[in-house]
Every structure is written in structure tokens, then in C-alpha cells.
Amino acid sequence: LQEVLDDRNPVLGPMDDAVVLEYVVDLAADPRATLVVVAPDRTRQLTVTGVAEPTDRAERLQSYDARCEYLKLLAWTNDDATAELGPPGRRRVWAAAVDRLGPSPVLPPETWLGMRIRPETVTFWAAGRAEPSHRRRFERDGSRWRAVELPG
């Protein structure tokens, strides 16, 4: 757990300007956030809760660079105005972005934002086959983690 949740911490996003303002306003009022990952077979779940904060520019650029071409173009075209268009209009916006930026834009839009969660609790849940489900929660205690066993 210590190796996974180091200073890098889980990162949310990055996000484009269509959703950034809503998240920024919400997180400014209450910076607590929860990230939930459910296994495809729904027999396991990971929940991370902590304080959200913006990533720095270098990390945002590194994250953007690791994205596939589709997601890089999506960062430039995913906005409210485009969402309101029908499929032909969305295709026109996409084609215009490719013409303007190329198939794999090198840099993200200035409005592109990433958020990280500084974990305070990490909970693993597992369904039982022939037993009740079970949770193991790790709670941050300063620089250490304390494990707590919980019913499912």
C-alpha cells in the first residue's frame, strides 16, 4: 500500500473545460473526493477517499502525452457546444480540430486540468463465495497506514 500511495497519489482526469468549472467550484467548497473502482464481475471494489487538489503543469503535460490520439483530440473538442450538435456537426468539429491541430495534438488546451486525491482512507471490498463479504480499510495515521477489518 505504501508503494502504491506515495506522493503521486491517484489522479482524476485530466479534464477538459466542459467539466472543469463545475469540479473546481465543488472542490473549492469541499475538497474531499472519493474514487471508486469496481471489478467487472462486481465481486471486488476499491474505494479511495481523501482531499482533491490540482496537479501541476508538468504532471498534466506528462499525463496528456501518455494519452492516445483519440483522447488528445477529445480534449480539444469535448465541450457543451459540441455535445449539443448532432452526429454530422460533431464530425465537422472533429475534422476541423484534426485540420487545425493534426491527428495527435502535441499540447493540451490551456483549460485542461488534472486533479489528484491525497488519500486518507483506502478500502478494499470483496464478496465471499461461501461467506459474508468483507472490507479491509486502511486509514492514514500521519505517515503510516493502519488496517481496520470491517463487515462487508
Side-chain angles (χ1 to χ4, degrees):
L1 185 63
Q2 195 73 16
E3 292 176 14
V4 173
L5 297 174
D6 62 8
D7 288 338
R8 292 173 295 171
N9 301 298
V11 174
L12 304 173
M15 299 168 274
D16 58 71
D17 61 345
V19 294
V20 166
L21 183 57
E22 182 178 343
Y23 283 115
V24 169
V25 169
D26 288 349
L27 291 171
D30 181 3
R32 293 188 49 75
T34 299
L35 170 69
V36 179
V37 181
V38 179
D41 65 1
R42 303 210 181 272
T43 62
R44 295 171 315 247
Q45 177 175 298
L46 168 69
T47 305
V48 178
T49 300
V51 176
E53 60 188 33
T55 57
D56 63 28
R57 179 170 169 71
E59 188 168 8
R60 286 192 303 273
L61 291 174
Q62 181 181 10
S63 177
Y64 179 83
D65 189 53
R67 298 289 191 263
C68 66
E69 289 181 355
Y70 173 82
L71 291 178
K72 288 178 178 180
L73 278 168
L74 187 63
W76 285 91
T77 60
N78 196 28
D79 57 28
D80 290 337
T82 303
E84 291 179 13
L85 300 173
R90 290 193 304 271
R91 284 191 285 274
R92 281 191 300 276
V93 168
W94 190 269
V98 170
D99 288 346
R100 190 174 74 253
L101 304 164
S104 185
V106 176
L107 295 173
E110 286 299 318
T111 55
W112 210 57
L113 175 69
M115 300 293 289
R116 83 172 59 259
I117 296 178
R118 296 248 180 237
E120 295 171 352
T121 65
V122 177
T123 305
F124 297 93
W125 172 84
R129 291 182 189 252
E131 63 186 292
S133 61
H134 179 260
R135 290 180 294 151
R136 177 171 291 143
R137 175 173 292 149
F138 293 88
E139 299 173 345
R140 190 182 290 268
D141 184 12
S143 63
R144 300 179 54 104
W145 290 93
R146 180 174 57 96
V148 179
E149 304 301 323
L150 300 165

